[in-house]
Amino acid sequence: MGNLYLIRHGQASFGASDYDVLSDLGARQSHALGEHFGQLGLRFDRCVAGSLRRQQDTARLALDALRASGVDTPAIDTDPDFNEFDAEGVIRSLLPALLVQEPEALHVMRNAREHRSEFQRLFALMVQRWHAGDHAEDDGLETWSAFTARLQRALQRVLDQAAEGQNIAVFTSGGSIAALLHLITGITPAQAFTLNWQIINTSLNHLKFHGREVSLSTFNSQAHLALLQAPELITYR
């Protein structure tokens, strides 16, 4: 059996003009992850990351820390199919219709850092409609089915290129991990998105694989952060 680790990126810059940048805390989380790998003596045969900056930087910082512990590390292969869904696109497409029932939604979206819980509630409503395809077909938004299809392709490429018994790290995002769990375990899209809210930055989701057969071994492991006894390192966005 081989081991595939789906790793969420470190904390990005929620509410800032450019979300796709690791915060200082996100960099610490990524470094702690790499040190944890070194303490475990875990060696990766391959490392894949999406093309988003936060995914690439998490992979780089974690592998730098692992290498500093004396463990050889592979180069980072980039696969954009592991990128997150377009959350901003979901909001742009589905917010106008939501304003009829939620007139304060625009204010909340524009001030997300000050209204985190309300943002989460409203965004969940929009994602439900996205799952159902309740948006214009010509708005350029990637559909839920297209999103899951590209993640299925990305996963199959990794498995097809893997050898038996290899350890493979994939640095990706919470929505991508949730969609992959939907594909692997058969949970519904709604259940997958509920899990998405629980996925901690730099957490490990351990899959076992044999050929193209994949099973979930561990979900959302955060031992590398919990052991540091620094509660501020446990973040969800």
Side-chain angles (χ1 to χ4, degrees), residues 18-227:
D18 186 1
Y19 174 74
D20 196 24
V21 177
L22 288 185
S23 67
D24 290 342
L25 196 59
R28 287 176 58 194
Q29 292 165 333
S30 304
H31 184 81
L33 177 64
E35 288 189 327
H36 183 66
F37 287 151
Q39 291 164 358
L40 294 175
L42 183 57
R43 294 176 179 271
F44 291 109
D45 299 286
R46 189 179 180 209
C47 173
V48 183
S51 64
L52 299 175
R53 181 176 174 183
R54 59 190 183 272
Q55 299 167 338
Q56 290 278 322
D57 286 349
T58 300
R60 176 180 55 81
L61 290 169
L63 293 183
D64 284 350
L66 177 57
R67 195 177 307 114
S69 72
V71 177
D72 291 335
T73 61
I76 300 170
D77 297 329
T78 300
D79 187 344
D81 277 352
F82 280 113
N83 286 1
E84 180 65 286
F85 69 90
D86 182 7
E88 291 185 359
V90 168
I91 294 171
R92 284 195 305 270
S93 179
L94 294 164
L95 179 59
L98 187 65
L99 288 172
V100 176
Q101 294 82 29
E102 303 280 354
E104 296 298 315
L106 182 59
H107 172 74
V108 171
M109 292 295 131
R110 286 176 170 172
N111 300 275
R113 295 184 68 176
E114 290 75 38
H115 304 280
R116 289 174 180 260
S117 60
E118 187 64 1
F119 169 86
Q120 181 170 322
R121 184 185 71 83
L122 295 171
F123 186 58
L125 290 175
M126 286 182 274
V127 167
Q128 288 174 9
R129 298 182 181 188
W130 178 56
H131 286 161
D134 189 14
H135 57 91
E137 294 183 1
D138 60 352
D139 61 3
L141 178 64
E142 180 182 40
T143 64
W144 165 254
S145 60
F147 175 56
T148 55
R150 72 168 162 87
L151 285 164
Q152 180 77 60
R153 292 193 302 269
L155 176 62
Q156 294 308 324
R157 277 195 298 273
V158 169
L159 296 175
D160 289 344
Q161 296 167 13
E164 189 70 17
Q166 284 191 330
N167 294 324
I168 302 170
V170 175
F171 290 84
T172 181
S173 295
S176 302
I177 293 169
L180 285 166
L181 294 179
H182 156 69
L183 294 169
I184 291 165
T185 68
I187 60 176
T188 67
Q191 290 169 330
F193 192 71
T194 298
L195 289 181
N196 185 18
W197 290 120
Q198 308 304 317
I199 299 175
I200 289 169
N201 293 114
T202 68
S203 64
L204 300 176
N205 301 273
H206 181 195
L207 308 176
K208 303 289 268 185
F209 70 88
H210 176 68
R212 282 196 169 194
E213 296 180 9
V214 184
S215 59
L216 177 64
S217 178
T218 304
F219 169 69
N220 204 29
S221 173
Q222 56 197 280
H224 61 291
L225 302 177
L227 288 171

